[in-house]
Amino acid sequence: KRKITAALDNNVFTGIVTALAIGERQGITKHQWDVFTRTATNHLIAISGLHIGLVAAFIFFTVRWGWLRFTSLALRIPAAKIAAVLALCGAFIYAAMAGFSIPTQRALIMVAVVMSGVLLQRHRAPSHTLALALLVVLIFDPLSVMSAGFWLSFCAVAVILIGMHSRIRTTGKWWKWGRVHVLVALGLLPLMLILFQRVPLLSPLANFVAVPWVSILVVPFVLMGTVLLEIFPLMGTFFLKSAAVMLSVLWPVLDGLSQLEIAQWVQHKPVTWTAIPAIIGTLLLFAPRGIPGRWIGIVWLMPAIVLMPSRPVEGDVWFTLLDVGQGLSAVVQTRDHVLIYDTGARFSQSFDAGSAVVA
């Protein structure tokens, strides 16, 4: 971390580059996090499943292509198998750089499941691969179901698989690429409302630009720079600074989108039972072409949006005690008012108990 910081010479994007390199996110400023959150691009600013998958895919296809150039080697050891082994090793090393955090563990397991199919020469349907990865993750870490990231990551992959195999009509290359982000945004809408009570409305547009830019341009330069920083410091510094320049080109786009009033839709937490019709509505919207009445899925989504949670009746008072660490926060609710006493301590410029616990 110190070498990366020194190489970038306190660049404004040092925290983001460090997060992409070793998974250390403390250097990201509050404003930068707000921008990523409002545009739903915060999944990019960490060593996430997407990045580990990209590293594994890049190594796999590169090694397979190169191995096939040598006929004698390819006849002895199949190119796909040697590529799968090296891809898994690369994913393991990249996950190790992030300290094997929970998201990277899940991603590494998913890569291992896919590559094991290649090594065992067993063709699995994408849905079976996802189910097997889910099973292995739950065996390895049963408590991961308590994490929002667990649900978001697996549901996002499931949404992509359903949407991309539902014979949804595509017109043009731009839509073929952009529809993935539209599908994910729509498919995760019920989950986002339940977990965070907010939906980034501009996430498809922001991710349409940010995902290829960060994944294809920024991340490779960050990885090259991090590796070369130990061997050839000058070359490593060049790659890291180049990555920071690329981020500076992308940043005005994300910052501008986050400033728009329509960037984020915030609402109450849906009533618990409305989650079931919301899921049914999402599945209807994702149904294959030819099934009549898919638009009714919108109607099934409405209860989660329209129905308000219960509140005190006239003359009643609800009292809630929140544990905010040092001390307790008291919340008093009447029919028309809410009183909060003690919002907890501020631990840093980017973290306080009021926003992290009370809100």
Side-chain angles (χ1 to χ4, degrees):
K1 179 181 176 181
R2 291 194 301 269
K3 291 184 178 181
I4 294 175
T5 303
L8 292 175
D9 194 21
N10 294 321
N11 187 286
V12 68
F13 298 108
T14 299
I16 300 176
V17 172
T18 305
L20 292 171
I22 58 175
E24 174 60 61
R25 297 180 290 179
Q26 292 182 353
I28 300 176
T29 66
K30 186 178 185 302
H31 173 67
Q32 289 172 339
W33 268 124
D34 289 341
V35 171
F36 292 135
T37 301
R38 288 178 63 85
T39 56
T41 52
N42 44 2
H43 64 96
L44 293 172
I45 313 305
I47 298 180
S48 63
L50 173 64
H51 297 145
I52 290 180
L54 285 171
V55 168
F58 175 78
I59 294 174
F60 178 84
F61 290 111
T62 303
V63 171
R64 189 179 67 173
W65 177 86
W67 197 263
L68 289 173
R69 305 281 77 80
F70 301 93
T71 308
S72 57
L73 292 176
L75 290 174
R76 292 184 178 183
I77 305 176
K81 289 189 176 183
I82 191 67
V85 171
L86 294 179
L88 184 56
C89 291
F92 181 86
I93 293 172
Y94 196 20
M97 292 171 63
F100 290 111
S101 61
I102 297 300
T104 57
Q105 289 177 16
R106 288 198 299 267
L108 184 59
I109 289 173
M110 294 181 74
V111 170
V113 169
V114 174
M115 295 306 165
S116 66
V118 177
L119 290 172
L120 297 175
Q121 295 180 320
R122 290 185 178 179
H123 175 72
R124 294 193 184 100
S127 58
H128 293 173
T129 301
L130 179 63
L132 181 58
L134 177 62
L135 175 63
V136 175
V137 168
L138 291 176
I139 293 174
F140 182 78
D141 183 19
L143 294 181
S144 62
V145 295
M146 305 297 293
S147 166
F150 170 87
W151 296 99
L152 289 173
S153 58
F154 278 102
C155 287
V157 176
V159 164
I160 293 172
L161 291 179
I162 295 172
M164 301 298 280
H165 290 81
S166 293
R167 299 191 298 277
I168 297 176
R169 186 178 180 183
T170 59
T171 55
K173 294 182 179 179
W174 288 104
W175 171 238
K176 288 180 181 179
W177 167 249
R179 69 172 174 152
V180 174
H181 307 297
V182 176
L183 291 172
V184 170
L186 180 60
L188 295 185
L189 187 147
L191 196 58
M192 294 292 289
L193 290 180
I194 293 170
L195 294 175
F196 308 113
Q197 296 82 61
R198 63 183 65 191
V199 177
L201 297 178
L202 299 179
S203 64
L205 178 59
N207 280 279
F208 179 78
V209 177
V211 168
W213 189 269
V214 173
S215 302
I216 298 175
L217 297 178
V218 179
V219 170
F221 272 75
V222 169
L223 293 178
M224 290 286 290
T226 305
V227 173
L228 293 174
L229 202 58
E230 294 287 342
I231 309 171
F232 304 106
L234 290 179
M235 190 174 294
T237 300
F238 168 77
F239 277 104
L240 290 176
K241 287 187 175 181
S242 299
V245 171
M246 293 175 188
L247 286 170
S248 69
V249 175
L250 174 66
W251 190 253
V253 178
L254 297 182
D255 195 17
L257 290 174
S258 71
Q259 298 298 326
L260 299 176
E261 292 184 4
I262 62 170
Q264 194 166 226
W265 166 25
V266 181
Q267 68 155 55
H268 59 276
K269 185 174 183 178
V271 180
T272 304
W273 67 266
T274 61
I276 296 176
I279 294 172
I280 295 174
T282 304
L283 292 175
L284 277 174
L285 292 173
F286 278 68
R289 295 182 68 235
I291 293 181
R294 289 188 300 164
W295 63 270
I296 299 177
I298 299 175
V299 178
W300 284 85
L301 286 169
M302 292 308 294
I305 300 171
V306 176
L307 293 181
M308 297 293 292
S310 59
R311 56 178 178 170
V313 299
E314 194 69 39
D316 281 4
V317 173
W318 289 358
F319 179 83
T320 307
L321 207 59
L322 304 176
D323 186 357
V324 292
Q326 298 177 351
L328 296 171
S329 178
V331 182
V332 182
Q333 295 173 272
T334 64
R335 182 168 180 80
D336 301 311
H337 299 86
V338 178
L339 168 68
I340 301 177
Y341 176 79
D342 183 7
T343 57
R346 174 182 292 276
F347 299 97
S348 68
Q349 292 297 320
S350 59
F351 182 80
D352 63 88
S355 61
V357 180
V358 178

